[in-house]
């Protein structure tokens, strides 16, 4: 049992304008592994969300006016504190989200890496000088912070999905308000505590925690003081939020759902493909937008891949994330598990076969067995929907053109993976896949240096990398006239 009293980063109310909100803590935060209450938080709503937006608005002029170097130093300190407190942050994350502790530590390092990255990248926001069409003019381009940024972040990466947005926003000179998912407020509040310890001024980074997602979301998407809105979550919710942002024409960036194909060609290194598929499918119990959703295997590789893959999946340890050696933790809620199980059973009714798993695990109500399904076709529910659970549907295919068509036959386009060795095929397939990110002979593609984002209904904008700043900057063009030639 974790001794909560030893967790100095465990905070239980919203952090607005450098202040922890007072009030009765009556909203339970539940550990998905055992469904027990970890703690209660003060339930914020519309009023606190508006206060947070106004605080960010007030803090903006001073933050924007700092030099990039000054902002960089504060962000760097925040990064260092995250890493110094990696164990405690990971413990809080595992308790509220469920992922294995080793994976949670990985998420803290991943999240902190964005802060480190944008501490540096913020110093390289260059403008431009463009040759003017006439001799008496000069054209200059400035890049300036968009202003107050509002964000809504998901429960599957309670730390990294905040840092990836906040670090870019703060590095660009914007101020920030985030509403984390109701299920996982504690990681966000712990980040606020560390931001304060790092010396980030009051009002620059605000966290509002509360259960009324709809009402708080309306404030964040419609408040006139918010210049830009960013969201990570489902495509369905993303569409509603985009529509709400339209009323005040906010700049938006969206990181939405995926349906990642993972293609194993005949010429693939089968062992490497098995390792990549395990990493990309079973990370976070299958609850990531970039998780492999459909595994396509070519005829010549099919038997060998299936045998090795099933043997490897069988070895995965399903247990409470706080237990030593746990590799697959619980799903976030019972209803999430029910949704996954329904996709499995509906597809079995349509002819898919369970090669492994296929039911609730003995580890507890919210744990789903590491599952492999064969005889799946691309039109079955398990292939058409984003699974968000530890289930691998395997689809057999014969030729390259056919698999590309099937892989692209979806409204979304976040991540795709394929394993092949023929260099011609590698270029053909990489260019033909309609996805924002492609793992080629690699199952783990997320890192701070790379542009994360999707095409089609997977969203707009890119996070991480030097492109990640663009969404937080406005381009301003200066036309200097009357220069002429000196006589
Ligand atoms: C996500 O699931 O939205 C993010 C996954 C990642 O950053 O790798």
């Amino acid at each position: 049992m974790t001794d909560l009293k030893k967790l100095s980063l465990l905070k239980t109310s919203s952090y607005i304008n450098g202040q922890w909100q007072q009030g009765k803590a009556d909203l339970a935060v539940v550990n998905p592994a055992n469904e027990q209450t970890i703690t209660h938080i003060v339930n914020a709503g519309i009023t606190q969300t508006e206060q947070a937006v106004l605080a960010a608005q007030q803090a903006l002029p001073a933050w924007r006016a700092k030099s990039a170097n000054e902002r960089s130093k504060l962000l760097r300190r925040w990064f260092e504190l995250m890493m110094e407190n990696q164990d405690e942050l990971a413990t809080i994350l595992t308790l509220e989200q469920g992922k294995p502790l080793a994976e949670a530590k990985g998420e803290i390092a991943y999240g902190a890496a964005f802060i480190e990255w944008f501490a540096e990248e913020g110093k390289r926001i260059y403008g431009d000088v463009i040759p003017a069409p006439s001799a008496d003019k000069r054209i200059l381009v400035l890049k300036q912070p968009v202003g107050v940024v509002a964000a809504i972040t998901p429960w599957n990466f309670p730390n990294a999905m905040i840092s990836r947005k906040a670090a870019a926003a703060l590095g660009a000179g914007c101020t920030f308000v985030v509403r984390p998912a109701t299920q996982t407020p504690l990681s966000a509040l712990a980040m606020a505590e560390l931001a304060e310890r790092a010396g980030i001024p009051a009002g620059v980074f605000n966290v509002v925690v509360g259960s009324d997602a709809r009402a708080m979301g309306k404030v964040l998407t419609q408040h006139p003081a918010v210049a830009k809105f960013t969201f990570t979550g489902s495509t369905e919710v993303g569409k509603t939020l985009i529509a709400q942002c339209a009323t005040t024409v906010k700049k938006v960036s969206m990181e939405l759902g995926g349906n990642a194909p993972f293609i194993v060609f005949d010429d693939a290194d089968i062992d490497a493909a098995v390792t990549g598929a395990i990493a990309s499918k079973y990370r976070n119990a299958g609850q990531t937008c970039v998780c492999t959703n459909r595994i396509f295997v070519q005829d010549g590789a099919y038997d060998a891949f299936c045998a090795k893959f099933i043997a490897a999946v069988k070895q995965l340890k399903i247990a409470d994330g706080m237990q030593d050696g746990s590799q697959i933790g619980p799903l976030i809620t019972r209803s999430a598990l029910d949704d996954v199980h329904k996709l499995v059973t509906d597809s079995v009714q349509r002819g898919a076969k369970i090669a492994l798993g296929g039911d609730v695990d003995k580890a507890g109500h919210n744990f789903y067995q590491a599952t492999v399904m064969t005889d799946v076709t691309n039109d079955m529910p398990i292939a058409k929907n984003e699974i968000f659970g530890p289930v691998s549907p395997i689809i057999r295919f014969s030729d390259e053109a056919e698999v590309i068509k099937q892989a692209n036959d979806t409204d979304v386009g976040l991540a795709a993976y394929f394993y092949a060795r023929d260099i011609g095929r590698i270029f053909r397939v990489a260019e033909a896949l309609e996805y924002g990110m492609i793992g080629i002979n690699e199952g783990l593609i997320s890192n701070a240096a790379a542009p994360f984002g999707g095409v089609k209904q997977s969203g707009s904008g890119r996070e991480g990398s030097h492109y990640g700043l663009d969404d937080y900057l406005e381009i301003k063009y200066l036309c200097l006239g009357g220069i002429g030639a000196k006589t």
Side-chain angles (χ1 to χ4, degrees):
M1 272 287 277
T2 312
D3 183 357
L4 297 183
K5 291 200 193 73
K6 290 203 173 128
L7 300 177
S8 74
L9 300 176
L10 194 76
K11 298 286 168 188
T12 53
S13 66
S14 298
Y15 178 74
I16 301 169
N17 204 19
Q19 304 289 321
W20 296 99
Q21 297 300 290
Q22 302 299 317
K24 190 166 178 307
D26 54 6
L27 180 64
V29 184
V30 173
N31 180 343
N34 55 23
E35 297 183 311
Q36 285 175 9
T37 298
I38 306 164
T39 188
H40 290 86
I41 57 166
V42 180
N43 197 3
I46 295 178
T47 309
Q48 293 76 11
T49 311
E50 284 172 350
Q51 284 168 356
V53 169
L54 293 177
Q57 187 185 32
Q58 254 179 15
L60 181 65
W63 183 251
R64 190 172 49 192
K66 281 190 188 301
S67 71
N69 231 1
E70 286 172 314
R71 286 194 294 263
S72 171
K73 283 194 184 120
L74 292 167
L75 286 173
R76 173 99 214 157
R77 187 67 198 126
W78 195 17
F79 155 73
E80 286 163 356
L81 287 172
M82 296 255 294
M83 290 313 292
E84 284 164 23
N85 290 279
Q86 185 179 17
D87 288 350
E88 188 173 330
L89 289 168
T91 301
I92 291 171
L93 201 161
T94 293
L95 287 175
E96 67 175 350
Q97 197 274 341
K99 68 178 63 174
L101 191 59
E103 226 181 298
K105 283 187 193 169
E107 179 178 339
I108 302 306
Y110 175 49
F114 288 103
I115 303 181
E116 183 184 37
W117 178 267
F118 286 112
E120 291 305 314
E121 211 54 46
K123 294 185 216 161
R124 289 182 268 277
I125 300 173
Y126 302 127
D128 214 348
V129 181
I130 299 176
S134 61
D136 67 335
K137 288 197 174 83
R138 299 290 182 272
I139 296 176
L140 275 69
V141 176
L142 305 183
K143 291 202 180 157
Q144 296 185 313
V146 292
V148 173
V149 174
I152 296 182
T153 53
W155 50 263
N156 62 343
F157 286 82
N159 178 294
M161 294 306 99
I162 296 177
S163 62
R164 185 151 87 183
K165 297 177 190 302
L170 269 54
C174 302
T175 54
F176 194 79
V177 179
V178 60
R179 179 197 179 272
T182 315
Q183 296 91 333
T184 55
L186 303 177
S187 294
L189 296 173
M191 289 174 75
E193 169 66 20
L194 293 178
E196 181 170 282
R197 289 187 200 173
I200 293 187
V204 171
F205 179 75
N206 306 275
V207 181
V208 278
V209 290
S211 58
D212 195 345
R214 205 176 287 266
M216 294 167 86
K218 276 208 169 147
V219 176
L220 296 176
T221 51
Q222 295 184 334
H223 198 294
V226 172
K228 185 221 156 76
F229 178 77
T230 170
F231 171 69
T232 295
S234 72
T235 297
E236 195 193 337
V237 174
K239 285 179 188 174
T240 306
L241 295 171
I242 293 170
Q244 287 173 195
C245 285
T247 58
T248 47
V249 196
K250 294 194 196 317
K251 213 173 157 73
V252 290
S253 53
M254 295 275 152
E255 202 264 273
L256 307 176
N259 180 357
F262 185 105
I263 308 168
V264 184
F265 287 100
D266 283 346
D267 61 329
D269 174 337
I270 301 291
D271 292 324
V274 167
T275 306
I278 298 271
S280 116
K281 172 73 247 185
Y282 294 100
R283 172 181 178 225
N284 202 13
Q287 303 171 108
T288 93
C289 304
V290 291
C291 264
T292 287
N293 211 58
R294 301 168 284 162
I295 302 183
F296 295 93
V297 190
Q298 199 165 14
D299 292 327
Y302 190 84
D303 291 342
F305 177 85
C306 288
K308 289 184 176 196
F309 183 66
I310 291 166
V313 175
K314 236 185 219 160
Q315 299 307 314
L316 295 172
K317 181 171 171 187
I318 303 172
D320 184 325
M322 294 305 285
Q323 261 185 44
D324 273 354
S326 166
Q327 290 170 295
I328 300 188
L331 298 187
I332 190 72
T333 55
R334 278 192 201 201
S335 80
L337 184 140
D338 291 343
D339 291 347
V340 172
H341 191 53
K342 185 162 177 1
L343 292 176
V344 171
T345 50
D346 285 356
S347 302
V348 168
Q349 271 177 12
R350 302 242 217 133
K353 302 228 162 35
I354 303 285
L356 189 71
D359 216 333
V360 180
D361 191 76
K362 59 181 181 332
H365 288 300
N366 293 346
F367 292 80
Y368 202 72
Q369 293 172 335
T371 297
V372 181
M373 301 173 76
T374 55
D375 294 54
V376 175
T377 55
N378 208 29
D379 57 356
M380 289 181 181
I382 199 76
K384 288 199 94 55
N385 295 280
E386 190 174 28
I387 304 169
F388 251 58
V391 180
S392 296
I394 303 186
I395 303 171
R396 191 176 180 130
F397 75 94
S398 299
D399 74 82
E400 192 181 298
E402 168 205 339
V403 78
I404 288 171
K405 193 159 170 243
Q406 292 196 67
N408 287 341
D409 185 17
T410 166
D411 289 338
V412 288
L414 191 59
Y417 308 84
F418 67 93
Y419 278 67
R421 279 181 289 201
D422 177 87
I423 189 71
R425 164 173 283 159
I426 286 176
F427 273 94
R428 277 194 310 275
V429 175
E431 287 167 11
L433 287 172
E434 295 164 357
Y435 290 83
M437 298 174 282
I438 317 271
I440 304 163
N441 298 322
E442 179 55 60
L444 290 177
I445 54 173
S446 307
N447 61 74
F452 191 105
V455 300
K456 293 160 74 175
Q457 294 187 28
S458 284
S460 58
R462 291 294 178 271
E463 295 187 329
S465 82
H466 71 89
Y467 300 104
L469 280 177
D470 293 347
D471 282 303
Y472 297 91
L473 293 168
E474 293 286 10
I475 290 177
K476 184 183 280 177
Y477 144 56
L478 313 183
C479 184
L480 268 75
I483 292 170
K486 204 165 177 218
T487 48

